[in-house]
Amino acid sequence: MSELVAGFLRFRQSAYPDRALLFQRLAHTQSPRALFITCSDSRVVPELLTQQEPGSLFVIRNAGNIVPSYGPEPGGVSASIEYAIAVLGVHEVIICGHSDCGAMGAIAHHHDLSGLPAVSGWLRHADAANVINDSHHHDTDRERVAALVRENVIAQLANLRTHPLVALALNQNRLRVHCWVYDIESGQIDALDGSSGEFVSLSEHSDVTALRGGQDTS
Ligand SMILES: [Zn+2]
């Protein structure tokens, strides 16, 4: 804990003064560039890997970068999505999975989650990805998890579309959705190409086609 407090003191000494004007500007308003939905994993740091300052990303994080489908009892993820689109007017959404994801590993390896009922229930939102992934052949366990991470961001994109305000914004072409997979070891990102439905290196295809309303990635 002392390391965290020491970090805060360093923030007060240098990081904060360096951004004093920015924080002044942000004190009473925010206008983030994007809604960034990713895993809670400590190794994924959205602002670091996109080199964004405070105020740029509206972030939703949870185990497995899950977006529950919209339903009669919407929860915290739905509320944050609604707020980002309706109030903040965000035009870009990124769903970002990552390599070595513990949540996806647990599903891919059919771990016994009976001792973790909340996790088990939560990861049911990835059932579609799991069923599709299980129908494919994978040479290694590692490949099985990597493939599930990709299937999962596509499944969560499908779930995202069930949110009425997202569906409307996509229909009116004022929202673009990006599916990314971040590789922790290499620092690379693969992005889902909206025109081919394939994942491509974002480094090599920085102009990769985003997913707009009416496009199907299946
Ligand atoms: Zn994860």
Side-chain angles (χ1 to χ4, degrees), residues 102-113:
M104 293 305 111
I107 300 173
H109 297 135
H110 302 285
H111 285 172
D112 176 13
L113 296 175

Side-chain angles (χ1 to χ4, degrees), residues 39-41 43-44 62-65 98-104:
C39 187
S40 298
D41 194 293
R43 301 164 293 179
V44 181
N62 59 55
N65 40 273
H98 68 97
S99 62
D100 196 48
C101 182
M104 293 305 111

Side-chain angles (χ1 to χ4, degrees), residues 157 161 170 175-179 192-195 209-213 215-217:
L157 166 67
R161 289 178 191 273
L170 284 169
L175 189 69
R176 304 195 309 166
V177 184
H178 313 261
C179 288
L192 186 62
D193 182 349
S195 51
T209 310
L211 309 157
R212 292 173 181 268
Q215 281 183 332
D216 189 354
T217 60

Side-chain angles (χ1 to χ4, degrees), residues 120-156:
S120 175
W122 179 246
L123 294 181
R124 297 294 305 274
H125 294 292
D127 275 358
N130 189 27
V131 168
I132 292 170
N133 201 50
D134 268 354
S135 75
H136 295 154
H137 172 75
H138 307 282
D139 286 333
T140 64
D141 277 354
R142 200 184 159 102
E143 272 182 31
R144 175 177 293 276
V145 177
L148 181 59
V149 167
R150 293 182 177 206
E151 287 296 345
N152 183 52
V153 291
I154 293 170
Q156 301 316 319

